[in-house]
Every structure is written in structure tokens, then in C-alpha cells.
């Protein structure tokens, strides 16, 4: 065997040994507290909840097995169907609005403008404020300030609070939810835009490409992965909408803006524990499907969430 062959064989053996290198026990000791907390606070309650979804348990007292009765009731309940329809529709509309605004802001904040760094700091402020605080502030604006301004200029449709209008209340929820989540998407888009080599834009400009053509042919393809990540994260977040809706409309007028999460939590305190646990299990399966779609869509793009 030649010297080069022996060297190559030795390198291959070393690589295999490195791949089989034993993990230091200290790492397991660092991992153990996290596993214990996750099991006690997340996994175990989830398993218990799924168990009770097959019973008639009301949250206290005795219970008995009822099979899939609760699940059949969930799939035939118009109120649950309306909650899912509102939640999914709200998530889709909000993610489109939030991504469009965040991308537009990112394009502006990565261009050659003065005070770009200071403006970025200002635009991310909503991300560090509690959602329920933001919602209560907007509740006052929609209920008092906006009707007052509309009345002073004679704009009739907004002289009454849109939070009490069954046809317009959802718009307020979309606006507030987007306002809170735009900063997070903005930071991701800024990172994506800054990763694009400037030479590509120079080459496109030399070829005579207009700003719109450069955006469509250079920017969009190169940040497609970032758009996908923001979209999936946004949809997953909006599906769990709860605090903003509670602070703005309490699910009203009537039940027009009641989300799935709000329906589940309300049922817990209304004696429908087992029934709402079945609803929560169905909702969990839905979010898992969204997560799997996320993994499939981002596979091979070289990006990690």
C-alpha cells in the first residue's frame, strides 16, 4: 500500500472515530433539568388533557369514559366551526398585511438613508411591549379617539367604535396584531437583505434593469427563504391569538371575533373541560400539520428557524 493510500485510510478512520466520539456526561447533566421541566410542565399536562378528552370530566368530581363523543361534538358544533373559520381567516389576512409592511420597511431601512440605525431601533419597540398592554391602548384609541376625530370631520362610518361593529371589529384585531408582530418580521427581512451581495445590484443596474426589475429579479428570489420563514412563523403565532382579542373585543360583538384559543379557555371555566380538551387536541393536530409543512417547505434551503 502506498504512503498516500495509508494516509487517506488513516484520515478516514480518524473521521469515523470522531463521529463516534462519546458525549461527555456533563452535557447530560445540563440537559436533565430542561427535560424534567418540559416533562412536568408541558408533556405530562398534555397527555393528561388528551386522556380527559375521552371522558365527561367537567374539571372536578367523578368522570367516566365516553369514547370519541367529544370529538364528534367538536366537528358538528357551529360555534367551534365559526371560531376556526375566524382564526384561520384572521391569520391569513394578518400575515399578508404584516409581511408586506415589514418588507417595505426593511427595504427602506437598508437603503442609504440617514439615521437608519436609530430608525431600526424605533421600529422594533412594539416587539418588547406586552401584547395586552398594546391592545388596551388601541382599545382606547378605537373606542374614544378615532370616533372623536371622525365626528369632528363628519366621517359617519367611524363615529361609532369599530369594536362594537360586527362587520369591522376583526379589522381592529388585524391592525393591532400586525402592529405588534411587524418588528420581528422586520428584523428577519433586514438580515436577509443585508446578506445579498451589492455586486448583484450593480450588475443589474449596468444591464439597464429598473428598480422594480431589480427587486423582482434579484431581491425577491434571494430572500424567498426569509419570506417563507416569516410567513410560517406568523401563521403559527396568529393561530394562537388570545390576549389581544380579549383586550380589544372579548370575542364580540357576540361571538364574531372569538378565536379557537379563546373558545378553549372560555370552555374550561364553563364546565366543558373534557369537551374543550377534545377541541384543544384537534387544534394541536392543526398546529403540528402547520409545523410539518414548515419543515417540508424549508428543507434544502440552507435556513434554520
Amino acid at each position: 500500500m502506498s504512503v498516500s493510500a495509508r494516509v487517506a485510510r488513516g484520515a478516514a478512520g480518524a473521521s469515523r472515530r470522531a463521529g463516534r466520539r462519546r458525549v461527555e456526561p456533563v452535557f447530560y447533566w445540563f440537559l436533565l433539568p430542561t427535560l424534567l421541566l418540559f416533562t412536568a410542565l408541558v408533556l405530562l399536562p398534555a397527555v393528561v388533557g388528551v386522556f380527559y378528552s375521552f371522558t365527561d370530566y367537567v374539571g372536578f368530581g367523578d368522570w367516566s369514559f365516553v369514547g370519541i363523543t367529544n370529538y364528534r361534538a367538536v366537528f358538528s358544533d357551529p360555534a367551534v366551526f365559526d371560531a376556526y373559520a375566524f382564526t384561520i381567516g384572521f391569520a391569513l389576512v394578518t400575515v399578508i398585511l404584516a409581511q408586506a409592511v415589514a418588507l417595505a420597511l426593511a427595504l427602506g431601512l437598508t437603503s442609504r438613508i440617514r439615521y437608519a440605525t436609530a430608525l431600526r431601533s424605533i421600529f422594533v419597540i412594539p416587539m418588547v411591549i406586552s401584547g395586552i398592554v398594546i391592545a388596551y391602548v388601541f382599545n382606547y384609541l378605537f373606542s374614544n379617539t378615532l370616533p372623536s376625530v371622525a365626528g369632528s370631520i363628519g366621517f359617519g362610518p367611524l363615529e361609532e367604535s369599530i369594536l362594537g361593529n360586527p362587520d369591522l371589529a376583526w379589522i381592529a384585531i388585524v391592525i393591532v396584531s400586525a402592529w405588534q408582530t411587524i418588528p420581528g418580521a422586520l428584523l428577519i427581512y433586514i438580515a436577509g437583505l443585508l446578506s445579498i451581495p451589492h455586486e448583484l445590484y450593480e450588475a443589474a443596474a449596468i444591464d439597464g434593469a429598473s428598480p422594480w426589475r431589480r427587486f423582482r429579479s434579484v431581491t425577491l428570489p434571494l430572500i424567498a427563504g426569509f419570506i417563507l420563514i416569516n410567513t410560517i412563523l406568523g401563521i403559527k403565532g396568529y393561530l394562537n391569538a388570545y390576549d389581544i382579542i380579549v383586550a380589544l373585543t372579548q370575542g364580540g360583538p357576540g361571538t364574531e371575533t372569538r378565536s379557537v384559543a379563546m373558545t378553549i379557555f372560555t370552555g374550561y371555566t364553563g364546565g366543558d373541560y373534557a369537551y374543550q380538551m377534545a377541541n384543544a387536541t384537534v387544534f394541536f393536530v392543526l398546529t403540528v400539520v402547520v409545523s410539518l409543512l414548515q419543515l417540508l417547505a424549508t428543507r434544502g434551503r440552507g435556513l434554520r428557524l
Side-chain angles (χ1 to χ4, degrees):
M1 182 181 295
S2 65
V3 175
S4 60
R6 287 197 298 270
V7 171
R9 185 175 179 179
S15 178
R16 287 194 297 269
R17 287 192 297 272
R20 296 194 299 266
R21 185 175 298 167
R22 187 173 63 89
V23 177
E24 294 294 334
V26 67
F27 292 113
Y28 292 112
W29 286 108
F30 279 108
L31 182 62
L32 183 61
T34 302
L35 289 177
L36 292 177
L37 288 174
F38 179 80
T39 301
L41 301 179
V42 178
L43 184 59
L44 185 59
V47 172
V48 172
V50 173
F51 171 80
Y52 279 125
S53 70
F54 295 97
T55 69
D56 59 358
Y57 188 56
V58 296
F60 58 89
D62 298 329
W63 52 267
S64 59
F65 282 103
V66 295
I68 62 172
T69 301
N70 290 325
Y71 290 91
R72 274 189 275 193
V74 166
F75 285 105
S76 61
D77 189 344
V80 172
F81 177 80
D82 291 342
Y84 274 88
F86 167 77
T87 303
I88 295 173
F90 151 77
L92 293 176
V93 173
T94 309
V95 77
I96 292 173
L97 174 64
Q99 300 315 308
V101 175
L103 181 55
L105 289 174
L107 289 170
L109 293 175
T110 53
S111 61
R112 296 179 178 178
I113 60 173
R114 298 180 64 182
Y115 311 116
T117 303
L119 289 174
R120 292 177 192 175
S121 302
I122 293 173
F123 279 117
V124 300
I125 289 176
M127 189 172 63
V128 299
I129 303 177
S130 170
I132 198 163
V133 172
I134 293 173
Y136 277 122
V137 171
F138 273 93
N139 188 318
Y140 180 85
L141 294 177
F142 287 131
S143 300
N144 299 279
T145 306
L146 187 60
S148 177
V149 173
S152 64
I153 63 176
F155 189 68
L158 294 181
E159 290 184 359
E160 299 292 334
S161 173
I162 63 174
L163 299 178
N165 189 323
D167 298 323
L168 299 178
W170 68 273
I171 297 178
I173 297 174
V174 167
I175 293 173
V176 178
S177 299
W179 192 82
Q180 184 195 23
T181 55
I182 282 173
L186 171 64
L187 293 178
I188 293 177
Y189 282 136
I190 289 176
L193 292 171
L194 293 178
S195 68
I196 301 176
H198 189 68
E199 291 78 6
L200 296 178
Y201 292 111
E202 293 178 349
I206 293 174
D207 290 339
S210 64
W212 167 247
R213 182 61 185 270
R214 292 197 295 270
F215 171 75
R216 183 168 57 89
S217 301
V218 178
T219 305
L220 279 183
L222 293 178
I223 65 169
F226 295 91
I227 295 175
L228 179 62
I229 289 175
N230 268 334
T231 300
I232 297 298
L233 291 177
I235 290 177
K236 288 170 62 179
Y238 300 137
L239 287 177
N240 294 307
Y242 177 74
D243 53 349
I244 287 179
I245 296 177
V246 170
L248 283 176
T249 65
Q250 288 287 337
T255 58
E256 291 294 324
T257 60
R258 177 168 291 186
S259 66
V260 177
M262 189 174 182
T263 301
I264 292 172
F265 284 118
T266 302
Y268 286 158
T269 59
D272 289 333
Y273 182 86
Y275 176 68
Q276 292 303 336
M277 278 311 311
N279 189 12
T281 303
V282 173
F283 189 54
F284 169 75
V285 172
L286 176 64
T287 56
V288 168
V289 170
V290 172
S291 299
L292 291 176
L293 291 176
Q294 166 195 336
L295 293 175
L296 291 174
T298 57
R299 179 177 297 172
R301 292 181 177 270
L303 296 172
R304 295 293 183 267
L305 296 182

Short mmCIF file of all heavy atoms in Angstrom, two decimals, residues 3 23 34 52 61 66 91 100 103 131 142 144 155 165 188 204-205 214 230 248 256 293 301:
data_model
loop_
_atom_site.label_atom_id
_atom_site.label_comp_id
_atom_site.label_asym_id
_atom_site.label_seq_id
_atom_site.Cartn_x
_atom_site.Cartn_y
_atom_site.Cartn_z
N VAL A 3 2.10 5.23 0.39
CA VAL A 3 2.02 6.15 1.53
C VAL A 3 0.75 6.98 1.48
O VAL A 3 0.06 7.19 2.50
CB VAL A 3 3.26 7.06 1.54
CG1 VAL A 3 3.15 8.11 2.64
CG2 VAL A 3 4.52 6.24 1.72
N VAL A 23 -20.13 11.30 24.06
CA VAL A 23 -20.59 12.58 24.60
C VAL A 23 -20.22 12.65 26.07
O VAL A 23 -20.43 11.70 26.84
CB VAL A 23 -22.12 12.73 24.43
CG1 VAL A 23 -22.60 14.03 25.06
CG2 VAL A 23 -22.49 12.67 22.97
N THR A 34 -33.78 20.63 32.01
CA THR A 34 -34.70 21.05 30.96
C THR A 34 -35.70 19.95 30.63
O THR A 34 -36.90 20.21 30.46
CB THR A 34 -33.91 21.44 29.69
OG1 THR A 34 -32.99 22.48 30.03
CG2 THR A 34 -34.86 21.93 28.61
N TYR A 52 -58.34 13.05 29.29
CA TYR A 52 -59.64 13.53 29.73
C TYR A 52 -60.56 13.89 28.56
O TYR A 52 -61.78 13.99 28.73
CB TYR A 52 -59.49 14.75 30.64
CG TYR A 52 -59.17 14.38 32.07
CD1 TYR A 52 -58.05 14.92 32.71
CD2 TYR A 52 -59.98 13.52 32.79
CE1 TYR A 52 -57.74 14.59 34.02
CE2 TYR A 52 -59.70 13.19 34.10
CZ TYR A 52 -58.57 13.72 34.71
OH TYR A 52 -58.29 13.38 36.01
N GLY A 61 -64.56 16.41 40.43
CA GLY A 61 -65.52 15.35 40.69
C GLY A 61 -65.25 14.09 39.88
O GLY A 61 -64.17 13.87 39.35
N VAL A 66 -66.33 8.29 27.66
CA VAL A 66 -67.40 8.47 26.67
C VAL A 66 -66.89 8.23 25.25
O VAL A 66 -67.59 8.52 24.28
CB VAL A 66 -68.00 9.89 26.78
CG1 VAL A 66 -68.70 10.08 28.11
CG2 VAL A 66 -66.93 10.96 26.53
N ALA A 91 -55.68 34.86 10.59
CA ALA A 91 -54.25 34.57 10.46
C ALA A 91 -53.76 34.86 9.04
O ALA A 91 -52.69 35.44 8.86
CB ALA A 91 -53.98 33.11 10.84
N ALA A 100 -46.12 42.33 4.19
CA ALA A 100 -45.99 43.39 3.19
C ALA A 100 -45.40 44.65 3.83
O ALA A 100 -44.47 45.27 3.28
CB ALA A 100 -47.34 43.69 2.56
N LEU A 103 -41.68 44.03 4.97
CA LEU A 103 -40.74 44.01 3.85
C LEU A 103 -40.51 45.41 3.30
O LEU A 103 -39.37 45.79 2.98
CB LEU A 103 -41.26 43.09 2.74
CG LEU A 103 -40.37 42.95 1.50
CD1 LEU A 103 -38.97 42.50 1.89
CD2 LEU A 103 -40.99 41.97 0.51
N GLY A 131 -48.36 42.34 24.64
CA GLY A 131 -49.48 42.40 23.71
C GLY A 131 -50.75 42.93 24.33
O GLY A 131 -51.50 43.68 23.69
N PHE A 142 -59.54 53.17 19.52
CA PHE A 142 -60.67 52.80 18.68
C PHE A 142 -62.01 53.20 19.29
O PHE A 142 -62.97 53.48 18.58
CB PHE A 142 -60.67 51.28 18.43
CG PHE A 142 -59.60 50.82 17.49
CD1 PHE A 142 -58.78 49.75 17.82
CD2 PHE A 142 -59.39 51.45 16.27
CE1 PHE A 142 -57.79 49.32 16.96
CE2 PHE A 142 -58.40 51.03 15.41
CZ PHE A 142 -57.59 49.96 15.75
N ASN A 144 -62.52 55.77 21.65
CA ASN A 144 -62.67 57.18 22.02
C ASN A 144 -62.03 58.14 21.00
O ASN A 144 -62.71 59.00 20.45
CB ASN A 144 -62.05 57.42 23.40
CG ASN A 144 -62.72 56.62 24.49
OD1 ASN A 144 -63.75 56.98 25.01
ND2 ASN A 144 -62.11 55.50 24.85
N PHE A 155 -67.04 62.23 9.36
CA PHE A 155 -66.92 60.93 8.69
C PHE A 155 -67.77 59.93 9.45
O PHE A 155 -67.35 59.33 10.43
CB PHE A 155 -65.47 60.50 8.63
CG PHE A 155 -65.22 59.29 7.78
CD1 PHE A 155 -65.39 59.34 6.41
CD2 PHE A 155 -64.84 58.09 8.36
CE1 PHE A 155 -65.17 58.22 5.62
CE2 PHE A 155 -64.61 56.97 7.59
CZ PHE A 155 -64.78 57.03 6.22
N ASN A 165 -68.82 47.01 16.10
CA ASN A 165 -69.42 46.73 14.81
C ASN A 165 -69.08 45.30 14.39
O ASN A 165 -67.91 44.98 14.19
CB ASN A 165 -68.91 47.72 13.77
CG ASN A 165 -69.65 47.63 12.45
OD1 ASN A 165 -70.04 46.56 12.01
ND2 ASN A 165 -69.87 48.78 11.82
N ILE A 188 -35.91 40.05 10.59
CA ILE A 188 -35.54 38.92 9.73
C ILE A 188 -35.32 39.40 8.30
O ILE A 188 -34.37 38.98 7.61
CB ILE A 188 -36.62 37.83 9.80
CG1 ILE A 188 -36.64 37.20 11.19
CG2 ILE A 188 -36.37 36.74 8.74
CD1 ILE A 188 -37.71 36.16 11.39
N ALA A 204 -26.96 44.35 -12.24
CA ALA A 204 -28.30 44.54 -12.80
C ALA A 204 -28.48 45.97 -13.29
O ALA A 204 -29.10 46.21 -14.34
CB ALA A 204 -29.36 44.19 -11.75
N ALA A 205 -27.93 46.94 -12.55
CA ALA A 205 -28.05 48.33 -12.97
C ALA A 205 -27.27 48.58 -14.26
O ALA A 205 -27.73 49.32 -15.15
CB ALA A 205 -27.54 49.25 -11.86
N ARG A 214 -35.05 45.06 -10.59
CA ARG A 214 -34.02 44.57 -9.66
C ARG A 214 -34.67 43.94 -8.43
O ARG A 214 -34.20 42.92 -7.93
CB ARG A 214 -33.09 45.72 -9.25
CG ARG A 214 -32.22 46.23 -10.39
CD ARG A 214 -31.04 47.05 -9.86
NE ARG A 214 -31.47 48.27 -9.19
CZ ARG A 214 -31.63 49.44 -9.79
NH1 ARG A 214 -31.42 49.55 -11.11
NH2 ARG A 214 -31.99 50.51 -9.11
N ASN A 230 -40.84 33.89 7.72
CA ASN A 230 -41.72 34.87 8.35
C ASN A 230 -43.18 34.49 8.21
O ASN A 230 -43.98 34.68 9.13
CB ASN A 230 -41.48 36.25 7.73
CG ASN A 230 -40.44 37.05 8.50
OD1 ASN A 230 -40.23 36.84 9.68
ND2 ASN A 230 -39.78 37.97 7.82
N LEU A 248 -59.30 43.64 23.30
CA LEU A 248 -59.99 44.51 22.35
C LEU A 248 -61.50 44.29 22.33
O LEU A 248 -62.28 45.24 22.43
CB LEU A 248 -59.43 44.29 20.94
CG LEU A 248 -58.08 44.93 20.61
CD1 LEU A 248 -57.64 44.53 19.21
CD2 LEU A 248 -58.16 46.45 20.71
N GLU A 256 -68.45 37.11 17.23
CA GLU A 256 -67.93 37.36 15.89
C GLU A 256 -66.41 37.27 15.82
O GLU A 256 -65.86 36.90 14.79
CB GLU A 256 -68.39 38.74 15.40
CG GLU A 256 -69.88 38.85 15.13
CD GLU A 256 -70.32 37.99 13.97
OE1 GLU A 256 -69.55 37.85 13.01
OE2 GLU A 256 -71.42 37.42 14.04
N LEU A 293 -45.55 21.27 7.58
CA LEU A 293 -45.48 21.98 6.30
C LEU A 293 -44.30 22.94 6.28
O LEU A 293 -43.63 23.12 5.25
CB LEU A 293 -46.78 22.74 6.05
CG LEU A 293 -48.02 21.88 5.77
CD1 LEU A 293 -49.25 22.76 5.64
CD2 LEU A 293 -47.83 21.05 4.50
N ARG A 301 -33.15 24.57 1.91
CA ARG A 301 -32.91 25.99 1.63
C ARG A 301 -31.71 26.53 2.38
O ARG A 301 -31.36 27.69 2.23
CB ARG A 301 -34.15 26.83 1.98
CG ARG A 301 -35.32 26.54 1.05
CD ARG A 301 -36.50 27.43 1.42
NE ARG A 301 -37.61 27.22 0.49
CZ ARG A 301 -37.80 27.88 -0.63
NH1 ARG A 301 -36.94 28.81 -0.98
NH2 ARG A 301 -38.82 27.62 -1.42
#
